[in-house]
Amino acid sequence: MADLSALKVGLEGTASALVTEERLATNVGSGNVPVFASPMLLALMEAAAVNCLEGHLPEDYQSLGVQLNVAHTAPTPIGFTVTAKATLKAIEGRKLTFDVVANDGAEQIGSGVHTRIVVDTPRFMARLAAKSLPRP
């Protein structure tokens, strides 16, 4: 097991994105209204969690998102900047749980819980490569 002692409950990370044409629901297949797309919100929340862990994981380890339970509660038009914040709320072995929240400068637009698992990168990549081999 990796030494995860550098991880502490309460660590925070953020990520921001300008709402552009490419990030609208109408362009990512998640709806017919030109607003910030839910898949983009989820990606931003995951990025905030990844940023939270930056510099706190051992060498050759990284985290992988395994669960998101998020409510997207308000629309955001093009031109706004959305900022997501992730706060590490629980550490259970390799399982990390984050509270995530996002706002667009005018109001909170989403919140929820995100879970990530810490993995040994070389081992994970070997498993992935084995899965990619042709099957008989």
Side-chain angles (χ1 to χ4, degrees):
M1 179 67 187
D3 177 13
L4 302 180
S5 62
L7 296 177
K8 305 289 183 215
V9 169
L11 285 173
E12 294 182 351
T14 61
S16 296
L18 178 65
V19 179
T20 61
E21 196 77 30
E22 297 80 24
R23 293 184 174 116
L24 298 179
T26 50
N27 289 318
V28 301
S30 67
N32 296 317
V33 180
V35 294
F36 189 57
S38 294
M40 298 292 103
L41 176 64
L42 298 177
L44 199 59
M45 289 174 161
E46 279 203 273
V50 168
N51 291 342
C52 176
L53 301 174
E54 188 67 36
H56 296 287
L57 294 178
E59 186 174 338
D60 287 334
Y61 283 80
Q62 64 181 303
S63 69
L64 300 175
V66 295
Q67 186 173 17
L68 278 160
N69 183 5
V70 172
H72 190 173
T73 55
T76 303
I78 198 165
F80 279 58
T81 297
V82 175
T83 299
K85 181 172 87 169
T87 304
L88 184 57
K89 76 171 189 174
I91 304 165
E92 300 169 51
R94 299 181 314 125
K95 179 182 168 186
L96 309 176
T97 305
F98 299 84
D99 283 327
V100 290
V101 65
N103 73 64
D104 62 11
E107 63 183 326
Q108 181 174 300
I109 65 163
S111 63
V113 177
H114 176 41
T115 304
R116 301 185 73 77
I117 298 294
V118 176
V119 298
D120 175 319
T121 304
R123 184 174 165 206
F124 179 83
M125 295 307 290
R127 182 176 170 205
L128 185 62
K131 190 174 186 176
S132 300
L133 293 173
R135 306 240 180 234

